[in-house]
Amino acid sequence: MTSPSGDGSGAQPLIIDTSKPHPARMYDYFLGGKDNYPVDRDAAEQFIKAAPEVREGVRANRRFMHRAVRHVVEEGGVRQILDIGTGLPTEPNVHQIAHAIAPDTRIVYVDNDPIVSTHSMALMEDTDTSVILADLRDPRAILDHPEVRKAIDFDQPVAVLLVAVVHFLADDGDPYGIVATLRDALPAGSYLVLSHATGDVHEDQREEAASVYNRATATLNLRTHAQVLDFFGDFTLVDPGLVRVTHWRPEQTPNPDAPLIGIYGGVARKES
């Protein structure tokens, strides 16, 4: 298990900013967790007022992640996972899902919130699971991080998880270039698992809800189906393609009366 340091040099003082809402802590609140602060809860409640289905949405997103991880490990044969923007631990976690299928799977969790690293470190004692403090906005630093290089062999297939995190990348921050940097680092047989909030569903509510994040540490940037699809580049989407997370290989037939969830999800493979 690695120390949650940004440069791989060992443990460093962690400064947790509680003056602004953080997406990971808001997400934790939506899921019913307790690892959040009043500023996170206040912002999350404002979001719920604008988008009442958000609690079901984040649960659906987690279930999508569970199914996607099972797919890449069991059917895809991947034994290395880089989970970027992991968020606060919520069972079952990625390593628990993967290890239930293949105990030798190596996982590296990445997040830019010190509280995520701190809590993840406390809960994960498996030697095949590492946690690092780093930011998706600097993908090269993630790929070159000593702990990542120690755990992940980039000559072998890797599954990169970008679950409900890319929508926090603003358009002026080159989000497509960031994701392309990660894709380009992967060998053939690797997978990209990505989910992303959209304004295609509940269009009348989306912008009001997204504006709640204007005072958070990262803005929420809604994108269309075509725009989300572009993040996969030339990777080959596995069936059923890029769909709402409730419709990606559901274990049960989606309830037609359930709230529409404005999150797209997809899993894609690098063929060559």
Side-chain angles (χ1 to χ4, degrees):
M1 184 69 66
T2 178
S3 296
S5 61
D7 60 5
S9 61
Q12 298 176 351
L14 298 180
I15 299 174
I16 298 173
D17 182 4
T18 61
S19 66
K20 293 182 179 180
H22 190 284
R25 300 193 300 260
M26 290 175 64
Y27 195 88
D28 175 71
Y29 181 78
F30 292 142
L31 285 171
K34 298 180 181 179
D35 295 318
N36 46 70
Y37 295 93
V39 67
D40 307 306
R41 295 191 284 274
D42 290 345
E45 285 295 338
Q46 289 180 40
F47 194 97
I48 291 170
K49 289 180 181 178
E53 78 285 354
V54 63
R55 288 192 186 276
E56 179 53 37
V58 296
R59 294 188 186 102
N61 183 66
R62 290 288 298 182
R63 291 192 291 268
F64 158 75
M65 183 272 287
H66 297 166
R67 298 192 299 273
V69 169
R70 284 196 291 268
H71 172 79
V72 299
V73 175
E74 188 167 28
E75 297 183 44
V78 170
R79 296 296 180 265
Q80 306 180 108
I81 299 175
L82 185 58
D83 182 4
I84 303 174
T86 180
L88 285 148
T90 303
E91 294 192 355
N93 295 290
V94 169
H95 69 284
Q96 294 168 320
I97 298 166
H99 288 169
I101 301 167
D104 60 334
T105 306
R106 298 187 301 280
I107 296 96
V108 178
Y109 291 108
V110 182
D111 205 281
N112 70 349
D113 184 5
I115 195 174
V116 172
S117 295
T118 301
H119 282 253
S120 297
M121 289 286 294
L123 293 175
M124 299 171 195
E125 298 179 353
D126 195 307
T127 56
D128 287 334
T129 303
S130 302
V131 184
I132 69 168
L133 184 64
D135 199 308
L136 174 58
R137 288 168 288 197
D138 189 354
R140 196 71 255 169
I142 294 174
L143 295 170
D144 294 339
H145 194 287
E147 290 294 338
V148 172
R149 288 291 167 177
K150 179 181 177 181
I152 304 293
D153 178 0
F154 284 94
D155 290 326
Q156 299 296 322
V158 182
V160 170
L161 274 55
L162 295 173
V163 177
V165 64
V166 175
H167 49 229
F168 295 117
L169 298 175
D171 289 338
D172 61 6
D174 191 22
Y176 293 99
I178 289 171
V179 177
T181 296
L182 296 170
R183 290 199 317 265
D184 292 346
L186 304 179
S190 295
Y191 286 83
L192 174 61
V193 176
L194 185 147
S195 64
H196 194 296
T198 182
D200 292 349
V201 180
H202 304 297
E203 293 184 34
D204 57 331
Q205 301 174 351
R206 296 306 87 183
E207 291 304 327
E208 179 184 354
S211 68
V212 172
Y213 282 84
N214 289 343
R215 62 186 180 90
T217 57
T219 59
L220 178 61
N221 304 275
L222 304 175
R223 295 185 172 99
T224 66
H225 184 276
Q227 290 171 324
V228 177
L229 190 62
D230 284 344
F231 284 114
F232 292 95
D234 60 356
F235 281 32
T236 301
L237 282 158
V238 303
D239 288 338
L242 180 65
V243 295
R244 286 188 287 120
V245 290
T246 49
H247 288 66
W248 197 90
R249 303 193 177 194
E251 295 171 346
Q252 298 178 340
T253 302
N255 181 355
D257 297 324
L260 292 176
I261 303 304
I263 306 174
Y264 289 125
V267 177
R269 186 177 189 273
K270 187 172 187 176
E271 301 296 346
S272 60

